[in-house]
Amino acid sequence: MLKKITLALLLNVCFIFTAQAATEIQWWHSMEGELGKTLDGLVAKYNSSQSNYKVIATYRGNYTESLNAAIAAFRAKKQPHIVQVFEVGTQTMMNSGTIYPVQDLLTDNKVSVNWNDFLAPVLSYYRDSKGKLLSMPFNSSTPIMYYNLDMFQKAGIKNPPTTWQELRETSKKLIRSGAKCGTVIGWQQWILLENFSAIHDLPFATLENGFTGINPKLTYNNPAIINNIKMLREMMSDNSFRYEGRRTDPSKKVFLAGLCGIYMDSSSSIGALKKVAKFKWAAAPLPYNEGLKKPLNSIIGGATLWVFKGHKPLEYKGVADFVSFLAKSEKQIWWHKETGYLPITMTAYEQLKKEGYFKKEPYQEVAIKQLTRGTPTVNSRGLRLGNFTQIRDVMDEELEKIWAGKSTPEEGIKSSVERGNRLLEQYAKTTRP
């Protein structure tokens, strides 16, 4: 009897010791709602796949909030191992002096990842001038156009609009058929200014959109953008276009409620639409201007995982192992199917095609085709600007003035460029390249 008790105690001690021996990896992220649940599922898959490391994922607010919190935590020497940062925070992280480049992390820990297998538009955005990968692509996306098939059928509309001019007529048909609004847009500055510029091969800023220096000037104050904003402002008179607010959720709720027939937003909205929408829907590329023969690729969005300096070697072994786990094609396939984010390796993409997934779910290939169409130019490979989160706030503020009739499109776009350039000047003065 005594031997049995002693043995049981020893087993309990071993169990406790084993549980405590797992090295914890702190990951701060900005995924909430359905995406947050899916991320938790991904972390659970990793934690159950091995016993040496335990990733603890913590929601730290939206992208701007989590970025600010992470930088503050680093200064207080309480930084997480990993932080998820959206693409507009790339320049800030690059010059923050806080990061452990992911390529160095993997090399130092003798972990191999085939970067050549990654989609080029995704990888190129997060490399430095020497080609070194700085952060791990995670939830990569690009904006696309969703539309309510039931509302289209009621209005007698057979196909989604391909141009902005067609969008206006389509939206008016939806209104005439009884829709409360025609078109609604999430992340307006990302779609109406940044991606509009890329697709139309228009420069957004000097110095190759900030890729070749930290003191560029914004240049998107051009007739094409102004005229498109002017058209949308006019469409507000009969609710052909309706502004619901910044970011994703306000616009998505209106679309899901069946009030608007067209919704432009991130390809990552697919996951929520598949689970929540009570109507038939489909997706198409973003519209472009009439007369444009070959629209270029849209811009990569979403976020990557940045690794902070200041942790122990054993912990970095765990971070490297987790990064390797995320890079596996089977995980990329699962993540794409669940969320709508891009499968960021060619192997994963080819496997999805081979199994016929896109024949069953064609809308999930829309973003990939849009992102990879044409040969990227200096105007379409992305934006790398300092103080970009603040610049986006400025763009939102000025667009909201236009929608409210407090300024004209000409005045609003001009003001957003001038205010944004002052923020770029401040960044250049206080940042060492």
Side-chain angles (χ1 to χ4, degrees):
M1 183 67 180
L2 181 60
K3 288 183 179 180
K4 289 183 179 180
I5 293 174
T6 302
L7 179 60
L9 288 172
L10 285 171
L11 288 173
N12 284 334
V13 169
C14 289
F15 175 79
I16 293 169
F17 179 80
T18 301
Q20 291 176 340
T23 300
E24 292 187 352
I25 307 300
Q26 298 292 334
W27 175 17
W28 289 6
H29 68 86
S30 298
M31 306 256 106
E32 59 181 335
E34 292 297 328
L35 287 174
K37 294 176 184 177
T38 306
L39 183 146
D40 288 339
L42 182 64
V43 170
K45 286 178 180 290
Y46 174 72
N47 288 338
S48 63
S49 71
Q50 48 72 52
S51 58
N52 293 323
Y53 313 105
K54 181 180 180 181
V55 172
I56 299 175
T58 306
Y59 175 74
R60 298 291 295 191
N62 64 39
Y63 282 132
T64 303
E65 292 166 344
S66 64
L67 173 59
N68 293 336
I71 295 296
F74 181 85
R75 291 171 182 159
K77 297 183 179 181
K78 296 181 180 179
Q79 69 273 25
H81 299 85
I82 306 168
V83 61
Q84 180 191 26
V85 178
F86 59 165
E87 85 283 4
V88 298
T90 299
Q91 187 71 275
T92 298
M93 292 300 291
M94 283 178 63
N95 296 314
S96 66
T98 67
I99 69 165
Y100 186 177
V102 70
Q103 192 165 331
D104 289 344
L105 166 78
L106 297 180
T107 299
D108 294 345
N109 288 280
K110 297 180 174 56
V111 174
S112 177
V113 170
N114 181 14
W115 299 121
N116 292 328
D117 192 34
F118 280 57
L119 296 178
V122 177
L123 214 59
S124 62
Y125 192 92
Y126 301 105
R127 280 177 161 159
D128 65 13
S129 59
K130 297 180 181 179
K132 179 186 291 184
L133 186 65
L134 302 175
S135 58
M136 172 62 186
F138 175 57
N139 55 308
S140 296
S141 64
T142 200
I144 58 177
M145 178 173 63
Y146 304 94
Y147 55 103
N148 185 317
L149 286 168
D150 294 342
M151 294 177 73
F152 268 51
Q153 183 177 9
K154 182 180 178 182
I157 304 168
K158 294 183 178 180
N159 300 306
T162 58
T163 69
W164 285 99
Q165 291 73 21
E166 289 176 359
L167 175 85
R168 180 174 191 166
E169 296 309 311
T170 300
S171 294
K172 288 186 177 297
K173 287 181 181 179
L174 288 167
I175 294 296
R176 289 197 292 268
S177 70
K180 298 297 181 181
C181 77
T183 298
V184 66
I185 298 175
W187 289 98
Q188 57 176 350
Q189 78 298 97
W190 188 35
I191 292 173
L192 298 178
L193 303 179
E194 298 167 28
N195 275 280
F196 184 96
S197 297
I199 289 170
H200 294 83
D201 200 16
L202 297 170
F204 191 85
T206 60
L207 298 179
E208 298 184 7
N209 285 346
F211 270 72
T212 60
I214 65 168
N215 56 346
K217 301 292 183 185
L218 298 175
T219 59
Y220 60 83
N221 183 11
N222 60 62
I225 280 182
I226 290 172
N227 288 336
N228 202 53
I229 298 298
K230 186 178 296 184
M231 182 190 74
L232 290 170
R233 178 66 187 89
E234 292 169 354
M235 288 169 61
M236 296 182 80
S237 63
D238 65 352
N239 267 336
S240 294
F241 168 65
R242 181 161 144 182
Y243 176 63
E244 283 295 314
R246 305 177 185 183
R247 301 183 182 264
T248 290
D249 286 343
S251 301
K252 184 188 295 181
K253 288 178 181 177
V254 170
F255 182 69
L256 286 172
L259 300 179
C260 299
I262 297 173
Y263 163 53
M264 297 183 204
D265 208 336
S266 169
S267 56
S268 65
S269 293
I270 286 176
L273 293 181
K274 287 171 69 174
K275 295 174 182 176
V276 180
K278 304 298 183 184
F279 50 82
K280 294 179 182 179
W281 58 276
L286 291 180
Y288 54 88
N289 273 347
E290 287 180 355
L292 185 67
K293 295 181 179 179
K294 293 182 179 180
L296 284 179
N297 60 283
S298 53
I299 294 177
I300 192 69
T304 53
L305 306 185
W306 294 79
V307 180
F308 275 120
K309 294 178 180 177
H311 293 290
K312 298 176 182 178
L314 179 60
E315 294 167 1
Y316 283 129
K317 285 185 180 295
V319 175
D321 189 68
F322 182 53
V323 168
S324 175
F325 171 87
L326 295 176
K328 295 182 186 303
S329 293
E330 61 268 27
K331 301 305 180 298
Q332 291 295 323
I333 290 171
W334 180 85
W335 182 246
H336 172 68
K337 289 181 176 180
E338 290 293 318
T339 65
Y341 281 115
L342 303 176
I344 56 178
T345 65
M346 287 303 300
T347 299
Y349 181 36
E350 292 301 327
Q351 180 59 40
L352 285 162
K353 289 196 292 184
K354 184 178 180 180
E355 69 179 56
Y357 181 72
F358 295 124
K359 290 182 179 179
K360 295 184 293 183
E361 311 280 358
Y363 48 81
Q364 290 207 209
E365 195 176 16
V366 171
I368 304 171
K369 288 183 173 180
Q370 179 181 272
L371 187 68
T372 57
R373 69 187 177 193
T375 301
T377 69
V378 294
N379 296 326
S380 69
R381 64 174 169 172
L383 307 170
R384 191 169 285 174
L385 306 173
N387 281 338
F388 204 178
T389 54
Q390 295 92 323
I391 290 171
R392 271 194 168 176
D393 287 340
V394 165
M395 292 192 287
D396 271 328
E397 290 169 7
E398 294 297 341
L399 284 171
E400 286 169 347
K401 290 179 183 178
I402 295 171
W403 307 142
K406 296 180 180 179
S407 64
T408 66
E410 292 87 351
E411 292 168 342
I413 297 301
K414 180 183 178 182
S415 179
S416 71
V417 167
E418 291 174 347
R419 292 176 62 193
N421 280 333
R422 287 196 290 272
L423 288 168
L424 286 171
E425 290 171 5
Q426 292 173 11
Y427 183 82
K429 289 177 181 178
T430 59
T431 303
R432 181 177 298 174

